[in-house]
Amino acid sequence: MKKTLEEHAARFDDVAAEYDENETAEYNKCVALVIEHAAPDSDDTVLDLGCGTGAIALGLAEDAGRVVGRDISEGMLAQARQKAAERGLENVEFGEGRFRDPNFPEGVDAGSAEPLQADARDARVDIVTSNFAMHHLSDAEKRDAIATIAALGPRKIVLGDVMFFGAPDPEDPFFSPEVDDPATVGLLADAFTDAGYALTAVEMVHEQVGVLVAERV
């Protein structure tokens, strides 16, 4: 990670109110694909990591039983909560959390050896989603994040992000090198495989943007 968590959180706090106004066509395409591939059932719990202003979480709420959004930016979370309230959604909740410590169930440290003190239904995750967030992590941190997500036991992980299908074009970078650290599709595929998942869909939105669907083997 090229910036600290606090620096990333502050950066997104600053743009939270205008974030939705600056979405790109590639971002919106990824949102649609992540929602399409997640396809939760009415009794599923979805954990959306790096939820931002709630594009994925709110898009899945109508079909899922429960949606939990996690982000490091309180400004982004505030926007997501406001949109959920405006839409009258009662099965969506938002709170602080990160890839390597999702804070799920709430208040439980992902690295703790203590047993879960939560109802089994509340502790279950069926599907994990994320869109345009994991690329802030280094390659090693991405592997740790995917391993942490896999340890939650979801049957499916849907990742939309900045990722390299080929060599990045320095004349047309889709990311900000000073804050972003995208991985190749191959590295992400290997990380999912090592965590016990197989890629069941690969969607290229742009040479530097795509959606991966991984399902538990």
Side-chain angles (χ1 to χ4, degrees):
M1 183 178 289
K2 294 181 177 179
K3 299 285 186 179
T4 66
L5 284 171
E6 292 74 17
E7 288 171 330
H8 277 297
R11 186 164 66 92
F12 284 104
D13 285 345
D14 290 342
V15 301
E18 298 82 28
Y19 186 83
D20 292 346
E21 300 172 8
N22 298 313
E23 294 169 349
T24 65
E26 290 84 1
Y27 175 90
N28 288 328
K29 179 65 174 176
C30 278
V31 168
L33 285 169
V34 170
I35 291 172
E36 175 185 340
H37 282 292
D41 294 329
S42 59
D43 62 346
D44 280 338
T45 293
V46 180
L47 175 62
D48 185 32
L49 294 172
C51 65
T53 63
I56 302 296
L58 299 174
L60 293 172
E62 184 176 341
D63 296 322
R66 179 188 182 203
V67 182
V68 178
R70 292 288 183 256
D71 204 279
I72 62 172
S73 165
E74 183 53 43
M76 301 289 267
L77 290 167
Q79 294 292 317
R81 293 187 188 106
Q82 179 179 336
K83 288 194 284 187
E86 290 171 350
R87 300 179 192 186
L89 296 171
E90 298 181 352
N91 65 331
V92 187
E93 58 193 89
F94 295 100
E96 191 276 337
R98 58 204 66 177
F99 286 109
R100 291 170 293 163
D101 185 5
N103 189 22
F104 186 90
E106 187 173 2
V108 174
D109 181 353
S112 174
E114 295 297 318
L116 297 177
Q117 300 297 317
D119 179 86
R121 177 67 183 83
D122 291 337
R124 191 187 81 203
V125 176
D126 301 291
I127 301 168
V128 174
T129 60
S130 184
N131 193 52
F132 271 58
M134 193 178 284
H135 65 274
H136 298 303
L137 303 180
S138 69
D139 288 351
E141 290 167 337
K142 290 184 186 73
R143 286 185 173 277
D144 288 344
I146 289 171
T148 298
I149 293 168
L152 296 173
R155 69 173 185 271
K156 184 191 299 183
I157 303 168
V158 187
L159 173 67
D161 208 350
V162 183
M163 58 184 72
F164 299 140
F165 286 85
D169 182 357
E171 300 299 322
D172 184 28
F174 196 86
F175 61 101
S176 301
E178 67 276 9
V179 294
D180 299 333
D181 197 4
T184 64
V185 173
L187 181 142
L188 294 169
D190 287 345
F192 282 121
T193 299
D194 291 345
Y197 287 73
L199 288 187
T200 56
V202 178
E203 302 266 17
M204 186 175 78
V205 174
H206 177 281
E207 290 182 351
Q208 299 179 42
V209 179
V211 173
L212 305 181
V213 182
E215 298 189 57
R216 191 169 56 211
V217 176

